[in-house]
Amino acid sequence: MKILEEIIEFENENTELDFKAIQYDKIKFENLLKDLISMANAKTENDRFIIVGLKHKPNGERQFLGINNDFIDEASYQQLVHNNIEPELNFDYFPFEFKDKKFGVFKIFGCIDPPYMMKKDFGKLKAGESFIRKGSHQTRILRKDIDYFIERKISKGYFNGEISVYTHQLGNKEFNIKHIPFKDKPSEKARLEITKLIKEKEIVENSNDKNLLFKGLNFNHSYIVPTPYEKRNLETLKENLEQLDKTYEDDDEYFIYEESANKFNFKIFNHSEKYIEDASIELKIDKKNIFVCNKIISKPVKYNHFLDLHSSPTNSFSYENMNYPTVKETEKEYIITEIIGDLKHQIEQDVFTVPLRILLNPDPTEKKAFVQIKIFGKNLKTPITEELILIF
């Protein structure tokens, strides 16, 4: 992200930005709670950032330290914040590579319900304590700060309309997930073809009819146009059969993760006469019976299976990959996020620009899975929660 590169290299600490030299380990959890509360309460409409791995001096000089020990998982911080801060505070924590260093980035966003405060005692922090960041410093919340928050809420107003989330048509909450036809994989089709040809050519080689021997020779050999299997000799076919999984590895991957994947999307409808501003959406799906692809697998270009000359473009910068939903995973679930922007009223809208690719495990232990949905927005007091069902 260009904006993060510029922040790390050029920006000074301010109301929306703080730098930390080292990660928040358990000893520093009090500091983390205090810093996140202060950032969330800052008087700004923008996202706020805490960059870890950078030492910033008062004179503006900076030292790029990076994170050299194990990168702490976001889930640990999320649980800490959920248990100790109210109301719900939205943030992400992720690694960011810059100048051959790994930094940690806290992105605090969607802070529409200040003041944020401690919901219970934690170390030296007491229930009800609250802080605010002003410039490059943080102080305790004052009465005038609370008055400011109340006035801002009243002036903006919250969205209180009705939202519908559904699959194919209004009211439909189910989406059917199909199984992967593994028997139709390119490697399996080639295996059947080659096995059949080997049997036929073995019969020919064992035959007394010398006129049939031409069937055991290679014809039309080319470095550009692949030689059809039926034109290859017996020895070559046996070698092809041994190398089959490797030869068709990219083709099988494309078949499974793109051609056979379920293209999951759903719709959202705002019944109100008011926009939901800066809307985003989060899905959570249990991993027990489902696999969710974190990118689009591009179609491999095979020039010659016989010589194993091929090209497998990653397609990382294609339209579909650049617009594919963000997929993260924890030990038990997938977390999928998408930015929607302003959710207009009285207009049906697909949630994903590019549908999510979902695969069903070969032997599912259940017949359905639930998709837990949260819709966030700048003018939503609390996230809107919905649920869809994947049927298989």
Side-chain angles (χ1 to χ4, degrees):
M1 294 174 63
K2 189 70 174 176
I3 187 172
L4 286 179
E5 294 178 358
E6 293 175 353
I7 286 174
I8 293 172
E9 189 161 21
F10 301 113
E11 286 288 336
N12 292 323
E13 291 183 335
N14 54 57
T15 300
E16 302 169 0
L17 176 63
D18 194 11
F19 295 118
K20 298 294 177 183
I22 59 177
Q23 285 193 104
Y24 296 93
D25 55 19
K26 288 186 178 180
I27 299 175
K28 295 182 177 294
F29 276 1
E30 283 183 41
N31 295 340
L32 174 60
L33 293 172
K34 189 175 180 180
D35 291 342
L36 287 176
I37 288 174
S38 299
M39 278 293 188
N41 286 330
K43 296 176 182 178
T44 176
E45 300 292 332
N46 302 323
D47 294 337
R48 311 104 201 262
F49 296 91
I50 300 174
I51 309 295
V52 180
L54 192 153
K55 188 174 183 179
H56 188 256
K57 298 181 180 180
N59 63 3
E61 182 182 341
R62 64 196 67 217
Q63 185 177 358
F64 303 111
L65 302 175
I67 296 175
N68 300 313
N69 51 354
D70 291 339
F71 195 87
I72 297 176
D73 185 68
E74 178 187 279
S76 301
Y77 292 145
Q78 291 283 4
Q79 189 66 40
L80 173 73
V81 171
H82 176 75
N83 289 340
N84 291 280
I85 295 178
E86 61 181 2
E88 183 174 351
L89 193 156
N90 300 313
F91 75 96
D92 292 326
Y93 180 64
F94 54 91
F96 183 75
E97 302 284 342
F98 182 63
K99 290 186 177 293
D100 297 324
K101 299 283 187 180
K102 179 188 289 185
F103 297 87
V105 178
F106 285 95
K107 179 182 178 183
I108 301 99
F109 61 93
C111 303
I112 61 172
D113 197 17
Y116 296 85
M117 61 183 63
M118 294 295 298
K119 69 166 70 170
K120 63 181 182 179
D121 293 351
F122 185 93
K124 295 180 181 180
L125 299 174
K126 302 301 179 183
E129 278 195 296
S130 187
F131 310 88
I132 185 170
R133 187 171 178 87
K134 297 179 179 180
S136 59
H137 303 283
Q138 60 186 25
T139 63
R140 291 182 181 276
I141 288 283
L142 300 176
R143 170 60 187 264
K144 64 180 181 181
D145 298 316
I146 296 176
D147 289 342
Y148 168 83
F149 294 142
I150 294 173
E151 183 179 348
R152 189 174 70 171
K153 288 179 182 179
I154 294 173
S155 62
K156 285 190 172 183
Y158 287 121
F159 176 89
N160 56 5
E162 180 186 352
I163 293 292
S164 291
V165 172
Y166 50 97
T167 53
H168 306 295
Q169 59 185 12
L170 195 62
N172 190 340
K173 297 284 186 179
E174 297 181 350
F175 187 94
N176 290 320
I177 298 292
K178 63 182 181 181
H179 288 262
I180 304 169
F182 287 103
K183 64 181 179 60
D184 293 333
K185 286 195 306 182
S187 62
E188 291 304 312
K189 289 185 175 180
R191 193 184 309 278
L192 289 174
E193 180 185 358
I194 294 172
T195 302
K196 178 182 177 183
L197 289 170
I198 287 175
K199 290 181 179 179
E200 293 175 352
K201 289 181 183 287
E202 285 178 338
I203 293 173
V204 170
E205 286 203 353
N206 294 329
S207 171
N208 291 325
D209 188 349
K210 303 302 180 182
N211 293 326
L212 294 177
L213 289 179
F214 75 92
K215 290 189 177 182
L217 301 177
N218 276 350
F219 290 95
N220 298 330
H221 177 72
S222 170
Y223 286 89
I224 299 177
V225 180
T227 305
Y229 284 126
E230 63 267 19
K231 297 290 186 179
R232 304 179 192 183
N233 61 34
L234 184 59
E235 181 181 354
T236 300
L237 286 172
K238 289 181 177 179
E239 291 176 358
N240 294 157
L241 191 60
E242 290 180 1
Q243 298 296 320
L244 202 61
D245 289 336
K246 180 180 178 182
T247 303
Y248 283 88
E249 182 178 2
D250 292 336
D251 302 80
D252 285 347
E253 185 179 56
Y254 178 75
F255 173 82
I256 292 172
Y257 296 107
E258 180 58 26
E259 286 189 324
S260 301
N262 297 271
K263 312 303 193 295
F264 174 67
N265 208 341
F266 60 99
K267 302 178 185 297
I268 190 167
F269 190 87
N270 179 1
H271 298 272
S272 172
E273 295 300 322
K274 185 177 182 180
Y275 285 18
I276 294 182
E277 301 171 14
D278 294 339
S280 62
I281 198 160
E282 176 190 87
L283 282 66
K284 291 185 177 181
I285 306 175
D286 193 292
K287 294 171 66 175
K288 187 185 299 182
N289 295 297
I290 293 292
F291 177 81
V292 178
C293 300
N294 61 8
K295 64 179 180 179
I296 300 292
I297 300 298
S298 60
K299 186 174 184 178
V301 179
K302 291 280 186 178
Y303 294 114
N304 195 320
H305 277 306
F306 178 65
L307 297 175
D308 198 25
L309 298 176
H310 62 279
S311 172
S312 304
T314 60
N315 208 22
S316 298
F317 299 104
S318 68
Y319 171 85
E320 286 205 326
N321 258 315
M322 292 179 69
N323 289 278
Y324 191 70
T326 300
V327 179
K328 298 181 182 180
E329 56 180 297
T330 65
E331 185 179 347
K332 294 184 178 180
E333 63 187 2
Y334 292 100
I335 302 174
I336 302 100
T337 55
E338 179 86 320
I339 296 174
I340 300 175
D342 289 342
L343 185 56
K344 299 178 180 179
H345 54 277
Q346 305 300 321
I347 297 177
E348 182 181 80
Q349 181 174 334
D350 286 331
V351 170
F352 298 131
T353 304
V354 176
L356 195 66
R357 271 54 172 174
I358 296 181
L359 302 175
L360 180 63
N361 289 347
D363 298 306
T365 58
E366 298 173 359
K367 294 184 178 181
K368 61 184 177 181
F370 296 94
V371 182
Q372 306 296 333
I373 299 169
K374 280 187 177 181
I375 302 169
F376 302 91
K378 187 162 64 175
N379 56 337
L380 289 177
K381 185 174 183 179
T382 57
I384 296 172
T385 59
E386 288 282 347
E387 185 178 78
L388 295 176
I389 304 173
L390 304 178
I391 303 295
F392 38 86

